[in-house]
Amino acid sequence: MSGNSNRLPVVPTVTVLGQMKLRLIGATKGHALLKKKADALTMRYRQILKEIIDKKQGMGDIMKGAFFSMTEAVYSAGDSVKHTIFDNVETATLKVTGGVDNVAGVKIPKFHSVVLPGETKMDLTGLGRGGQQLQSSRKSYLQAIELLVALANLQTAFVTLDEALKVTNRRVNALENVVKPKLENTISYIKGELDELEREEFFRLKKVQKNKQKTAAAAVAEVDEGANVKPGDESMDLPPLKGAAKAAAAGNLLNNLKDEDVIF
């Protein structure tokens, strides 16, 4: 057949037909589920992309403000303010924690920043001069760090979703364009072969029935012919006796022979 390359090599039987139908049902359900998963991933992918664009657009202004506030603090408090800040810092007031987010069965790394509560020595830094500029610079840099952590979280989720979306779309296309057409062609092939076998079996049964009818009709005709023969005519059908046949043959021989003349 011309569709041998686009179907599975199977034996056309009823059992295999049932198995192929079950496989087609499973492939259809899997295709529907993967399609829903791909749609959910695509929706979340676009949301993350929009958030990344928004945060990157605002990142320039925040970073510019943070650097400018640092310049103001150094100008107000003097160059020695760096050593003062290093001496007053003991532990970090902002930490980054990690987690896992689940989007349609895809695990995505999640980061978020946490500001530790409580007072620190930095609250008293710059009492002599430049304290207001130092606190403003600190708040600006905290805001910038939180934005960078959020941006890193979004970009990590974006890359992970991109890979998962590619794999899911590849599976959806394989099921839609390869697996399901092969199963459908295989089912059509098996149905065609089974129909052909059924037609052959029906034709064979018709021939057998026709031959039986001919045999029965011949038997009935023979019985009718034997019933139509009369009882007095039975001797006419008997073959001639062997002795009578020999006598007739001998008489014929004597008549055919001629005696030769005898000369004395």
Side-chain angles (χ1 to χ4, degrees):
M1 296 177 65
S2 59
N4 286 339
S5 59
N6 199 22
R7 65 172 178 83
L8 299 175
V10 294
V11 180
T13 60
V14 178
T15 305
V16 177
L17 178 61
Q19 294 176 356
M20 292 297 108
K21 286 184 178 179
L22 290 177
R23 290 180 64 179
L24 181 59
I25 292 172
T28 304
K29 290 183 179 179
H31 176 265
L33 292 174
L34 286 175
K35 190 69 176 174
K36 291 181 180 178
K37 179 180 178 180
D39 294 339
L41 292 177
T42 304
M43 185 181 300
R44 180 60 178 161
Y45 183 82
R46 291 175 179 175
Q47 290 177 355
I48 291 175
L49 181 60
K50 184 178 179 180
E51 291 178 5
I52 288 175
I53 293 174
D54 293 339
K55 289 187 179 299
K56 281 192 174 182
Q57 288 177 351
M59 184 178 65
D61 295 335
I62 292 176
M63 295 301 294
K64 181 174 68 174
F67 283 117
F68 188 74
S69 64
M70 180 64 183
T71 304
E72 288 180 346
V74 172
Y75 178 77
S76 300
D79 294 336
S80 61
V81 70
K82 296 181 180 179
H83 304 287
T84 305
I85 293 173
F86 289 153
D87 293 337
N88 292 330
V89 172
E90 295 179 353
T91 57
T93 59
L94 188 143
K95 292 186 178 181
V96 178
T97 60
V100 177
D101 193 8
N102 193 345
V103 178
V106 178
K107 294 182 179 180
I108 302 174
K110 186 177 181 181
F111 310 106
H112 60 277
S113 57
V114 177
V115 178
L116 299 179
E119 295 182 356
T120 60
K121 293 182 180 180
M122 285 298 301
D123 296 336
L124 302 177
T125 304
L127 288 178
R129 62 174 185 171
Q132 183 178 0
Q133 285 76 12
L134 284 174
Q135 295 301 324
S136 176
S137 177
R138 180 171 177 269
K139 291 180 180 179
S140 299
Y141 271 96
L142 283 175
Q143 187 179 2
I145 292 174
E146 290 176 355
L147 179 62
L148 289 174
V149 171
L151 191 59
N153 177 35
L154 291 174
Q155 288 184 338
T156 304
F158 181 82
V159 174
T160 306
L161 280 179
D162 185 41
E163 294 296 328
L165 191 58
K166 287 180 181 178
V167 174
T168 305
N169 287 332
R170 195 178 300 118
R171 291 176 179 174
V172 170
N173 293 332
L175 284 172
E176 184 176 356
N177 300 320
V178 178
V179 177
K180 288 180 65 177
K182 272 193 174 183
L183 291 174
E184 290 173 355
N185 292 336
T186 304
I187 290 173
S188 300
Y189 162 73
I190 294 174
K191 286 183 178 179
E193 292 295 325
L194 291 177
D195 291 340
E196 185 69 24
L197 291 175
E198 186 177 355
R199 285 192 293 269
E200 290 179 358
E201 183 67 17
F202 180 72
F203 180 75
R204 186 185 68 82
L205 292 176
K206 284 185 66 176
K207 292 292 290 182
V208 170
Q209 187 177 7
K210 189 174 181 181
N211 292 334
K212 286 183 178 180
Q213 290 176 355
K214 285 183 178 180
T215 305
V220 171
E222 186 177 354
V223 171
D224 292 341
E225 185 179 355
N228 292 332
V229 175
K230 295 181 180 180
D233 297 338
E234 292 179 357
S235 61
M236 297 175 62
D237 296 335
L238 294 175
L241 298 175
K242 293 183 179 180
K246 289 182 179 180
N252 293 333
L253 289 175
L254 293 174
N255 292 330
N256 293 332
L257 293 177
K258 296 181 178 180
D259 294 336
E260 297 178 0
D261 297 336
V262 180
I263 302 174
F264 296 99

